[in-house]
Amino acid sequence: MVFKKGLYIHFIIFLLYFFLKTYSIDIIISDENNLYNLPKKIDSLSQSSINDQINIILENDYYKLPSNGNSNYNIKNTVIFYSEKGTIFDFQQKYQTRLTLFLYNTSKFNKIVFQNITFINYTAIINNTWTIFLELFPENGAYQVEFNNCSFLNIKGLLLNVYHLKIEQETTYPQIIFNNLI
């Protein structure tokens, strides 16, 4: 009887470990074609409840962002855009090239992190256009956006536009963070 009870407790601990464990997946971006297809990859990986964090590893030192508006990301997990040595995201002087990030409501705290990235050459041709647009749907306010060791050069227009659909809860932490801007 004691053996069965001990086995049962170990089984419960195993199940808790399995279901509470955080899983992450790395996506290596080695050329602009991979970057072009990245929004679809993130969207499909976000559908899985297994992946809590998606790490976008930027191997090259320079990327032209797609100028056809294909930089719309649907995010339901923590997503980290990271470059070890630093990389450039070139907007090519086109306002259509902006980054649009849709962060959806989940039951957990999610982050979007940009690390060691230089954003360059954004030109707005009309008023109220922005380099990076965040549309936030989490009703509980459980998100954070960080820019760590980033630079913004030759940006002619608004840098960041944050649109909250609805937030019902006050937060005790900053939702947008700029660390060590270069």
Side-chain angles (χ1 to χ4, degrees):
M1 184 73 153
V2 173
F3 177 72
K4 284 185 180 181
K5 198 174 199 180
L7 186 60
Y8 179 73
I9 290 172
H10 281 88
F11 181 70
I12 297 285
I13 291 171
F14 171 77
L15 286 177
L16 285 173
Y17 173 77
F18 181 77
F19 286 110
L20 297 177
K21 184 172 169 81
T22 300
Y23 291 94
S24 70
I25 187 164
D26 294 347
I27 300 173
I28 297 173
I29 305 298
S30 57
D31 61 32
E32 289 173 4
N33 287 331
N34 291 345
L35 190 65
Y36 181 81
N37 295 319
L38 187 58
K40 289 179 186 173
K41 265 187 188 176
I42 288 178
D43 192 38
S44 77
L45 290 171
S46 289
Q47 301 303 322
S48 170
S49 60
I50 294 175
N51 302 311
D52 289 328
Q53 180 172 313
I54 301 170
N55 301 311
I56 311 301
I57 301 168
L58 304 161
E59 287 192 333
N60 293 350
D61 59 356
Y62 178 84
Y63 296 92
K64 284 183 184 176
L65 294 176
S67 60
N68 61 354
N70 195 33
S71 292
N72 297 333
Y73 294 88
N74 297 314
I75 298 174
K76 298 174 185 164
N77 309 70
T78 291
V79 176
I80 299 174
F81 294 85
Y82 173 77
S83 174
E84 178 73 29
K85 298 176 185 173
T87 193
I88 293 173
F89 277 2
D90 188 351
F91 289 87
Q92 306 172 63
Q93 304 290 351
K94 299 176 182 174
Y95 79 94
Q96 306 97 319
T97 312
R98 68 180 168 261
L99 286 174
T100 303
L101 308 166
F102 300 101
L103 184 59
Y104 289 95
N105 193 19
T106 62
S107 60
K108 58 187 182 293
F109 179 82
N110 287 316
K111 292 173 80 170
I112 301 171
V113 178
F114 296 94
Q115 182 136 354
N116 300 327
I117 299 174
T118 300
F119 300 88
I120 66 168
N121 297 331
Y122 178 78
T123 301
I125 61 168
I126 57 175
N127 290 337
N128 297 327
T129 56
W130 47 86
T131 310
I132 301 169
F133 177 65
L134 300 170
E135 188 159 346
L136 307 164
F137 295 99
E139 293 179 5
N140 61 2
Y143 72 91
Q144 194 168 61
V145 180
E146 290 184 26
F147 294 89
N148 297 320
N149 300 319
C150 291
S151 299
F152 300 91
L153 304 172
N154 198 25
I155 305 294
K156 298 174 185 163
L158 300 175
L159 176 62
L160 179 66
N161 186 1
V162 179
Y163 175 74
H164 294 273
L165 184 64
K166 180 180 176 184
I167 293 184
E168 295 178 351
Q169 174 182 336
E170 288 186 29
T171 61
T172 58
Y173 50 85
Q175 292 173 311
I176 309 290
I177 298 174
F178 291 92
N179 286 320
N180 301 321
L181 293 185
I182 302 169

